[in-house]
Amino acid sequence: MEKWRAADRLLKFSSRFASAVNWNNSCKSKQGKYFYSVATTVHRNPLFSSISPDDISYFKTILGERGVVQDALALDAANTDWMGKYRGSSKLLLQPKNTEEVSQILKYCNSRCLAVVPQGGNTGLVGGSVPVFDEVIINVGLMRNILSFDKVSGVLVCEAGCILENLISFLDDEGFIMPLDLGAKGSCQIGGNVSTNAGGLRLLRYGSLHGSVLGLEAVLANGTVLDMLGTLRKDNTGYDLKHLFIGSEGSLGIVTKVSILTPPKLSSVNIAFLACEDYTSCQKLLLEAKKKLGGILSAFEFLDSDAMSLVLKHLDGVRNPLPPSIHNFYILIETTGSNETFDKENLEAFLLHSVESGLVANGVLAQDINQASSFWHIREGLPEALMKAGAVYKYDLSLPLEKMYDLVEEMRVQIGPAAKVVAYGHLGDGNLHLNISAPAYDDNILAKIEPFVYEWTSKNRGSISAEHGLGLMKAAKIHYSKSPETVQVMASIKKLLDPNGILNPYKVLPSSLFSQN
């Protein structure tokens, strides 16, 4: 009888799928306070030059009139991140159309000690892609050519300005997929993705960009072009320098071309949207999914009840997939394989077992691509919903799986009624997106969040940046996740490759590491 009841509950699942380093002082004030970090004060490096009319004239000889942007409206957009949290005061945006132009720009800026900020789609969340002060913005958006694609190896070579969604569409037509998928795919660019080592929704299946990127081309601060654009999966010749640039946020060089390994598109895709009543069940469900779904498991995402309520309230057209009530936790599972019948039966057997064992309280399988898209829209739409709800403090953390939701609960006690704590993320990767939503930005709220969130993460041996990078927001917080010795080596590498410090200054590493004489 109990087994029959469990099977009856399973019918709710549709069976149709879906020490300090001195700066080079050859370079010839203003300060800014930002709400995103307690008492964070950033001073403009006085060694940096300011833009002159002669500089403008020189850049026009390289780029022409169209590549030198001084329009106030365009500059306002380029000076501001998409969340409206970070704002610089650059008076110049440069738009190179090839690697040689990037090289000439950087060589000149380095000789003049003009600070620069590389920019792609400007979809970052930690202030890494906008100026802090008056840095020259180098936007690579015109460098958007697909250079080659090999259907046998699946290797795609393209320029840094290619929009991720366009690459996804191109590969789809060729019968392949990008190993990277993000909610911001319609705007973000592959050069920025690589420079921030973007994680995204497919990391569980395909790993990080450190594994997918086979080679790249990058331009150093002095204009030197490093050709590391290999297409080989195995190349053990000396130091693998490309990894320095993957995730360095443009602080070591500007990525101009990328070679990336793409997997073939598989025909069988199934999406399930499930409800769990406690976080322990979510953890157990993940373990069971890894055991029983094995190689076809491609995504395991979670959101809590506050996240679901937020989406239902602020996103148009979103409906509760499991009405009528709101459950404590939701899990989105995606499987991807090549045998539709086997994959579907495997997933259904897994779901039946999960219902029988009490891990899953309710759920539904996507019946078609539209329903599958609606499930993904709930998860991918959370950042937009949070923006519509008001001010949001965002934290991107990696934590031991068993500890992840403890932080959420402790943060709710820490914050009290002043703000709402919303949690979601890539449970399969141990990546928590912790969001504190409030009607307006408030120093009192922030003082309750920081340094508490960083101290808690450090105490539990987590990472303060799982996939968003450090940027400006967390540059001074790196010691919570990395040892002083490790950070010192990073600073030494920065000084070696960018001795004048012109590349994306004030980001990634603490300014205190670099004395100014």
Side-chain angles (χ1 to χ4, degrees), residues 155-347:
V155 176
L156 172 74
V157 181
C158 63
E159 292 182 315
C162 289
I163 293 172
L164 179 60
E165 190 167 46
N166 293 343
L167 294 177
I168 291 172
S169 297
F170 169 83
L171 289 166
D172 184 65
D173 291 340
E174 299 289 337
F176 287 75
I177 65 170
M178 279 292 288
L180 173 70
D181 192 12
L182 305 171
K185 58 192 170 190
S187 302
C188 66
Q189 298 171 11
I190 190 64
N193 298 150
V194 170
S195 297
T196 56
N197 189 29
L201 304 168
R202 291 175 174 164
L203 191 141
L204 178 62
R205 177 68 175 267
Y206 299 112
S208 78
L209 289 175
H210 277 289
S212 299
V213 173
L214 301 179
L216 54 80
E217 178 186 81
V219 184
L220 301 183
N222 64 3
T224 298
V225 178
L226 293 185
D227 182 357
M228 304 172 285
L229 202 61
T231 59
L232 304 175
R233 293 195 67 180
K234 301 179 76 172
D235 182 4
N236 209 19
T237 312
Y239 304 128
D240 200 347
L241 295 179
K242 69 175 181 288
H243 290 293
L244 283 176
F245 299 89
I246 302 173
S248 66
E249 303 181 56
S251 65
L252 300 180
I254 298 181
V255 173
T256 49
K257 294 187 180 80
V258 177
S259 167
I260 188 164
L261 182 65
T262 69
K265 181 170 61 177
L266 300 177
S267 58
S268 172
V269 179
N270 296 275
I271 311 288
F273 201 87
L274 315 175
C276 296
E277 293 308 321
D278 54 65
Y279 182 67
T280 299
S281 294
C282 296
Q283 295 178 76
K284 291 180 178 178
L285 191 66
L286 173 60
L287 179 60
E288 289 299 305
K290 287 181 175 180
K291 287 180 179 178
K292 295 181 177 176
L293 299 179
I296 65 171
L297 182 64
S298 53
F300 197 100
E301 303 289 306
F302 96 107
L303 56 150
D304 65 9
S305 58
D306 286 319
M308 175 60 82
S309 298
L310 197 76
V311 170
L312 294 175
K313 181 178 180 180
H314 293 285
L315 289 189
D316 295 336
V318 174
R319 296 181 180 179
N320 185 351
L322 304 172
S325 61
I326 300 293
H327 294 270
N328 293 329
F329 295 93
Y330 294 90
I331 300 293
L332 187 155
I333 292 179
E334 179 188 79
T335 64
T336 308
S338 57
N339 188 320
E340 184 174 344
T341 300
F342 172 81
D343 293 347
K344 185 168 63 176
E345 290 176 351
N346 198 10
L347 180 57

Side-chain angles (χ1 to χ4, degrees), residues 83-99:
M83 294 183 64
K85 292 179 65 174
Y86 306 94
R87 182 181 295 272
S89 54
S90 177
K91 297 296 188 291
L92 183 63
L93 168 68
L94 303 179
Q95 296 180 305
K97 59 182 183 298
N98 54 53
T99 300

Side-chain angles (χ1 to χ4, degrees), residues 1-13 348 351-358 360-361:
M1 178 65 69
E2 283 302 312
K3 186 172 183 180
W4 179 88
R5 288 174 180 169
D8 184 60
R9 290 167 69 191
L10 183 59
L11 291 177
K12 295 180 181 179
F13 299 101
E348 288 177 344
L351 296 175
L352 176 59
H353 172 76
S354 300
V355 171
E356 290 177 332
S357 63
V360 171

Side-chain angles (χ1 to χ4, degrees), residues 439-468:
Y441 291 109
D442 186 328
D443 285 342
N444 293 322
I445 293 176
L446 183 58
K448 292 182 178 181
I449 303 171
E450 298 184 18
F452 174 82
V453 65
Y454 297 125
E455 292 173 345
W456 199 99
T457 301
S458 180
K459 181 178 67 176
N460 288 279
R461 298 190 65 80
S463 169
I464 65 169
S465 178
E467 62 179 2
H468 292 168

